[in-house]
């Protein structure tokens, strides 16, 4: 490995280097400015771009809805950019487009926990500018799209994390955490096929926070970044730790489980209880647990809300057409057919109607859980808050730190993260 | 390694020359040099665009307050980002942890790679096949390797624990990625599984250029195997060792993918590395100021390591060549 440089003409080299720097700067400038918004052709047809994600039934429900929208609005053409199905990657892909200052996509999906951060960055259009009527949406889910008193995103569909239980093993759903522990132990004694009492997401990722919030809600606690170290949150955190290490109703492996592993453990009949999202209902088809699934808030009152929001690009030049698409995607009929086809809980109150319940009765239970479900803190600094919380929860479930100490340590860090 | 390329644009003059008068020849040479540089411009521009520009941009970021969620805030902070970085105990711990991981993993990988290389350098039946087979882990993308290892290390369904239990060995119910030390062991094994073959192949190339006569002469002089390894193999292997050390140390300092897949930095933050913090500051917190500062720290560390190695090996290398 010999490093050799040409030293024959230093001044010349320097000059050329300068030229190359200028060239490089020019190239990156051009790249940054590329990618304009949609177009309007001479016959008045507008083309808007929408960035979405989704595989299988979800993806098909979206494509079908967009085709129907184009039929209903012949003057609008919709170009779909399909981005990653991994929530974190999707968020980074969208972020890159917005950082570059591109006018496309005009419409995009944004996770509720990032909406406020995007709004603060100036990337989202204030929906008052398209005279958005937001009264049809479920009020709890709408707050995720608000920042500084204005609405920047509306919910496309909501997601609610609550407690699944096996109706054949648990006669009445537990209303306290103690009852849950007893019921789990009884069920494990009753059914030899049961390996676990309670399955939950314990891996170091966003899911460990939503699982904890459901538990905290059950103890009457909540996730307030300004005031995290409360007696209720301490109890909830101790429960999370004890479920694994004291009551032994949860396996130590949950420290690596995400919602997929939790769902597998539950639908394959290995767990009596599971904290998870409504998609579990559709996965039990053809498994030993089909038709034996109940869904309630944790300990009677704990549930977490997740929302997929739709927003408009602040740089879009087709805001009216783009908002029309959002209105269409959140109309009652489209919401009902999406809920039936893809299992996504509607974000508009009117969609929880007889037509939906006839096709998919479990949405009655989902609706009940959705009513008590709590949003994660709405803050532009949420990504940083989330990071601190993930570290704290991960170190508790892995038995590295005692719950009380972890919570008091994390409280000040979370407060700093939320304010800085 | 762009720095290893030797370019001399004036080399084109070789095709000219001859009977021309000295003045014209000089002018022609100058024109050739100009043409040479002209031809090099695209390459230089690309190199600058993909290395110098990002580095300068990060340097700029690191002395400014740049957070995308705060488009109006910001401004020059001097060394503020660095100061708050080094004042943060989490960052200091991570720095130390990354250095320890680098030292331990590189040392074990070099030793293991050397052993494999020495074995592969002997002649035995099917050596070609074995040499090719050894390289397979290196050809597997890290993300795929890490995901496979994660599946194998699952406490309930993983192959590792089932093997331990079948052999009645202790630790069959270990939650590998759930404990700090076991998680580091898992990361170390996954990393080594992929990189030892790489080290072995580089060292094997170094071993093959050592002339057999030296060993024969040593044998005649009565040197044992250990003696000839210590006084012939190792000194002559130094150039190859240097290459392996630089490559391995730099990528161990920057380790990210294995950790990201296996543990996500957990349990707690016990397996986070500098690159992990870098990723988080840039892409999770969108704090380009702090992220830029972490990047610069990484670049400085890498340069120090590379310079240190080159210095350490240079004098000896010169001596053996002469």
């Amino acid at each position: 490995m010999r490093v050799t440089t040409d030293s024959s003409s230093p001044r010349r080299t320097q000059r050329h280097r300068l030229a190359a720097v200028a060239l490089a700067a020019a190239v990156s400038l051009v790249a940054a400015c590329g990618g304009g918004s949609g177009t309007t052709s001479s016959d008045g047809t507008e083309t808007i771009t929408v960035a979405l994600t989704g595989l299988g039934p979800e993806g098909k429900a979206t494509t079908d809805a967009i085709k129907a929208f184009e039929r209903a609005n012949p003057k609008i053409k919709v170009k779909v950019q399909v981005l990653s199905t991994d929530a974190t990657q999707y968020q980074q892909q969208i972020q890159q487009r917005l950082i570059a200052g591109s006018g496309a996509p005009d419409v995009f999906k944004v996770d509720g926990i990032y909406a406020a951060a995007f709004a603060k960055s100036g990337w989202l259009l204030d929906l008052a500018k398209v005279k958005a009527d937001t009264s049809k949406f479920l009020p709890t889910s709408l707050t995720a799209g608000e920042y500084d008193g204005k609405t920047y995103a509306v919910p496309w569909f909501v997601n609610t994390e609550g407690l699944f239980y096996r109706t054949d093993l648990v006669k009445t759903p537990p209303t306290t955490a103690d009852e849950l522990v007893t019921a789990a132990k009884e069920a494990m004694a009753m059914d030899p096929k049961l390996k676990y009492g309670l399955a939950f997401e314990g891996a170091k990722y966003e899911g460990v926070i939503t699982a904890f919030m459901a538990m905290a809600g059950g103890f009457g606690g909540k996730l307030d970044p300004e005031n995290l170290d409360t007696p209720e949150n301490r109890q909830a955190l101790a429960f999370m730790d004890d479920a694994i290490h004291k009551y032994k109703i949860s396996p130590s492996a949950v420290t690596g489980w995400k919602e997929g592993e939790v769902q597998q453990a539950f639908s394959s009949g290995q767990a009596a209880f599971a904290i998870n999202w409504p998609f579990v209902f559709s996965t039990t088809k053809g498994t030993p647990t089909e038709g034996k699934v109940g869904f309630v808030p944790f300990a009677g009152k704990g549930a977490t809300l997740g929302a997929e929001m739709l927003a408009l690009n602040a740089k879009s030049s087709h805001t009216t057409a783009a908002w029309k698409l959002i209105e269409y995607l959140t109309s009652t009929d489209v919401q009902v057919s999406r809920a039936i086809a893809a299992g996504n809980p509607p974000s508009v109150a009117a969609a929880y109607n007889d037509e939906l319940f006839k096709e998919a009765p479990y949405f009655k239970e989902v609706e009940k859980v959705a009513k008590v479900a709590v949003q994660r803190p709405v803050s532009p600094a949420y990504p940083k808050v989330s990071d601190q919380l993930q570290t704290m929860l991960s170190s508790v479930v892995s038995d590295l730190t005692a719950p009380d100490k972890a919570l008091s340590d994390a409280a000040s860090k979370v407060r700093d993260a939320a304010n800085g | 390694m762009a720095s290893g390329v030797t370019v001399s644009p004036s080399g084109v003059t070789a095709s000219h020359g001859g009977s021309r008068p000295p003045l014209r020849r000089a002018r022609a040479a100058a024109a050739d040099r100009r043409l040479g540089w002209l031809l090099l411009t695209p390459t230089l521009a690309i190199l600058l665009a993909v290395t110098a520009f990002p580095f300068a941009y990060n340097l700029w970021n690191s002395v400014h307050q740049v957070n995308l969620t705060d488009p109006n805030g910001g401004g020059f902070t001097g060394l503020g980002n660095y100061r708050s970085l080094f004042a943060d105990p989490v960052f200091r711990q991570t720095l130390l942890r990354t250095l320890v991981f680098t030292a331990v993993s590189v040392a074990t990988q070099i030793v293991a790679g050397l052993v494999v290389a020495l074995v592969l350098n002997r002649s035995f039946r099917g050596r070609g096949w074995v040499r090719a087979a050894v390289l397979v882990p290196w050809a597997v993308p890290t993300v795929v390797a890490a995901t496979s290892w994660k599946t194998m290390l699952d406490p309930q369904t993983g192959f590792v624990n089932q093997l331990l239990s079948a052999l009645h060995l202790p630790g069959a119910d270990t939650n590998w990625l759930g404990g700090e030390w076991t998680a580091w062991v898992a990361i170390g094994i996954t990393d080594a599984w992929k990189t030892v073959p790489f080290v072995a192949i580089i060292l094997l190339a170094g071993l093959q250029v050592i002339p057999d006569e030296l060993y024969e002469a040593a044998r005649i002089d009565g040197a044992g195997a250990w003696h000839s390894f210590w006084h012939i193999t190792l000194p002559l292997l130094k150039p190859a060792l240097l290459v392996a050390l630089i490559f391995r140390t730099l990528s161990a300092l920057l380790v990210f993918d294995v950790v990201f897949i296996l543990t996500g930095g957990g349990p707690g933050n016990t397996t986070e590395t500098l690159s992990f913090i870098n990723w988080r500051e840039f892409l999770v917190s969108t704090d380009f100021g702090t992220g830029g500062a972490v990047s610069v720290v990484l670049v400085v560390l890498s340069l120090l390591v590379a310079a240190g190695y080159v210095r350490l090996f240079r004098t000896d290398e010169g001596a053996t060549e002469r």
Side-chain angles (χ1 to χ4, degrees):
Chain A
M1 288 304 284
R2 206 72 91 23
V3 179
T4 323
T5 44
D6 178 59
S7 54
S8 59
S9 56
R11 198 176 298 156
R12 190 190 300 271
T13 315
Q14 225 163 34
R15 209 167 341 120
H16 278 272
R17 233 171 242 170
L18 272 176
V21 168
L23 185 69
V27 165
S28 50
L29 205 67
V30 171
C33 298
S37 180
T39 51
T40 309
S41 67
S42 52
D43 63 345
T45 307
E46 278 185 89
T47 305
I48 55 171
T49 311
V50 52
L52 299 167
T53 174
L55 281 174
E58 284 195 331
K60 190 173 178 308
T62 307
T63 350
D64 289 352
I66 286 176
K67 272 188 200 140
F69 171 77
E70 283 183 323
R71 274 196 300 277
N73 298 277
K75 291 265 171 202
I76 306 175
K77 288 265 159 291
V78 184
K79 218 168 91 188
V80 183
Q81 288 183 349
V82 181
L83 303 183
S84 173
T85 49
D86 179 304
T88 315
Q89 274 181 25
Y90 174 85
Q91 121 92 5
Q92 286 167 9
Q93 287 173 332
I94 278 289
Q95 207 165 282
Q96 276 158 18
R97 285 163 170 75
L98 297 170
I99 290 170
S102 164
D106 302 276
V107 190
F108 53 89
K109 187 196 87 166
V110 54
D111 194 318
I113 56 177
Y114 296 118
F118 278 25
K120 194 185 176 199
S121 302
W123 295 334
L124 307 185
L125 187 79
D126 174 6
L127 294 181
K129 292 197 180 137
V130 289
K131 301 189 180 61
D133 174 18
T134 56
S135 59
K136 67 179 178 182
F137 296 101
L138 295 171
T140 43
S141 59
L142 200 55
T143 53
E146 289 168 1
Y147 171 70
D148 214 7
K150 293 175 189 146
T151 302
Y152 288 91
V154 291
W156 186 12
F157 48 87
V158 299
N159 228 339
T160 50
E161 179 148 51
L163 183 73
F164 283 91
Y165 67 99
R166 288 273 299 278
T167 48
D168 57 329
L169 299 170
V170 181
K171 289 298 153 225
T172 43
T175 53
T176 64
D178 286 342
E179 280 179 31
L180 190 153
V181 174
T182 318
K185 284 182 174 167
E186 278 173 12
M188 285 165 88
M190 199 170 14
D191 182 351
K193 265 184 268 165
L194 272 190
K195 282 164 108 178
Y196 325 115
L198 171 69
F200 65 88
E201 304 138 280
K204 193 189 176 193
Y205 84 121
E206 189 65 29
V208 72
I209 300 177
T210 58
F212 172 71
M213 276 181 71
M215 293 182 187
F219 285 93
K222 61 177 183 172
L223 209 73
D224 177 1
E226 296 297 328
N227 185 21
L228 196 62
D229 194 1
T230 62
E232 293 83 9
N233 286 350
R234 282 187 175 216
Q235 285 175 333
L237 196 57
F239 175 82
M240 205 176 202
D241 184 26
D242 289 345
I244 307 169
H245 304 107
K246 187 172 156 195
Y247 311 132
K248 307 223 183 271
I249 53 172
S250 303
S252 68
V254 294
T255 58
W257 282 7
K258 300 186 176 182
E259 61 255 43
E261 285 90 356
V262 174
Q263 172 261 316
Q264 277 165 19
F266 184 78
S267 18
S268 64
Q270 297 182 338
F273 292 97
I275 294 179
N276 215 336
W277 306 88
F279 79 100
V280 170
F281 279 113
S282 57
T283 64
T284 55
K285 242 175 222 155
T287 70
T289 51
E290 186 174 356
K292 301 171 188 164
V293 180
F295 187 47
V296 288
F298 179 89
K301 52 189 175 178
T304 311
L305 194 72
E308 290 293 359
M309 318 287 288
L310 289 167
L312 297 181
N313 188 336
K315 295 249 167 74
S316 165
S317 41
H318 301 276
T319 50
T320 313
W323 172 249
K324 254 190 193 160
L325 176 64
I326 294 186
E327 276 198 312
Y328 182 80
L329 291 175
T330 55
S331 61
T332 307
D333 288 351
V334 177
Q335 291 261 305
V336 168
S337 51
R338 184 179 183 91
I340 293 168
N344 292 146
S347 61
V348 295
Y352 290 93
N353 54 26
D354 292 342
E355 193 196 342
L356 175 66
F357 295 150
K358 206 181 98 210
E359 287 290 328
Y362 65 85
F363 274 108
K364 275 186 187 165
E365 290 169 274
V366 173
E367 190 191 13
K368 278 187 197 138
V369 177
K371 278 195 176 137
V372 297
V374 181
Q375 187 72 243
R376 272 157 287 170
V378 176
S379 153
Y382 183 73
K384 282 187 170 184
V385 170
S386 163
D387 189 59
Q388 292 293 345
L389 289 170
Q390 288 177 30
T391 302
M392 185 265 288
L393 293 168
S394 163
S395 67
V396 168
V397 293
S398 310
D399 225 12
L400 290 179
T401 321
D404 286 3
K405 185 178 182 317
L407 196 61
S408 67
D409 286 354
S412 59
K413 286 185 191 160
V414 166
R415 199 183 304 119
D416 290 349
N419 297 320
Chain B
M1 297 239 68
S3 56
V5 181
T6 313
V7 246
S8 171
S10 50
V12 245
T13 45
S15 60
H16 290 280
S19 58
R20 272 183 275 187
L23 186 66
R24 275 182 64 195
R25 203 187 303 158
R27 214 178 284 150
D32 281 341
R33 260 202 302 280
R34 245 195 323 277
L35 177 68
W37 280 110
L38 208 63
L39 292 172
L40 274 178
T41 308
T43 314
L44 285 176
I46 289 169
L47 279 178
L48 285 166
V50 300
T51 57
F53 172 71
F55 181 68
Y57 176 60
N58 260 336
L59 211 56
W60 186 89
N61 274 336
S62 75
V63 290
H64 287 80
Q65 251 180 336
V66 197
N67 195 326
L68 296 183
T69 56
D70 194 8
N72 303 319
F76 184 73
T77 62
L79 294 176
N81 287 330
Y82 294 94
R83 226 173 284 134
S84 55
L85 209 54
F86 280 95
D88 181 5
V90 173
F91 177 78
R92 289 203 306 265
Q93 271 170 24
T94 310
L95 179 64
L96 183 69
R97 190 185 297 135
T98 309
L99 292 176
V100 171
F101 170 75
T102 304
V104 174
S105 70
V106 171
T108 40
Q109 287 165 16
I110 293 286
V111 171
L114 183 58
V115 171
V116 175
L118 288 170
V119 170
L120 292 182
N121 197 35
R122 307 203 73 99
S123 46
F124 53 89
R125 270 174 77 92
R127 183 173 68 169
W129 288 101
V130 176
R131 281 185 182 174
V134 162
L135 256 188
V136 169
W138 176 250
V140 175
T142 313
V143 173
V144 175
T147 310
S148 315
W149 275 97
K150 191 179 181 185
T151 314
M152 291 195 284
L153 289 164
D154 184 281
Q156 256 82 36
T157 58
F159 159 78
V160 173
N161 280 4
Q162 296 201 349
L163 184 75
L164 289 176
S165 136
L167 298 175
H168 301 287
L169 287 170
D173 56 352
T174 310
N175 181 11
W176 290 95
L177 302 173
E180 180 179 359
W181 292 110
T182 49
W184 272 118
V185 168
I187 291 169
I189 290 176
T190 308
D191 196 42
W193 179 79
K194 190 183 156 64
T195 54
V196 166
F198 170 72
V199 174
I201 291 299
I202 289 184
L203 296 185
L204 181 61
L207 285 175
Q208 285 177 340
V209 297
I210 301 177
D212 279 339
E213 294 80 25
L214 288 176
Y215 292 105
E216 277 169 33
R219 241 194 331 273
I220 292 165
D221 288 345
W226 182 248
H227 213 75
S228 53
F229 171 76
W230 207 245
H231 291 284
I232 299 172
T233 312
L234 219 47
L236 290 180
L237 205 55
K238 270 188 178 171
L241 270 174
L242 177 65
V243 173
L245 272 172
I246 288 186
F247 271 116
R248 284 309 313 141
T249 311
L250 293 189
S251 60
L253 268 180
L254 300 173
V255 66
F256 176 77
D257 35 15
V258 175
V259 177
F260 187 76
I261 300 283
L262 280 183
T263 65
N269 54 11
T270 50
T271 56
E272 285 182 1
T273 59
L274 284 182
S275 288
F276 204 90
I277 292 195
N278 200 13
W279 163 78
R280 189 172 55 209
E281 292 299 340
F282 270 114
L283 290 173
V284 180
S285 308
T286 62
D287 185 343
F288 281 34
T290 312
V294 179
S295 297
V296 172
V297 170
L298 277 171
V299 169
V300 170
L301 271 178
S302 309
L303 286 178
L304 283 177
V305 165
Y309 278 137
V310 170
R311 214 184 165 79
L312 196 71
F313 280 76
R314 191 175 45 193
T315 46
D316 293 356
E317 190 195 345
T320 51
E321 270 177 12
R322 244 166 259 140

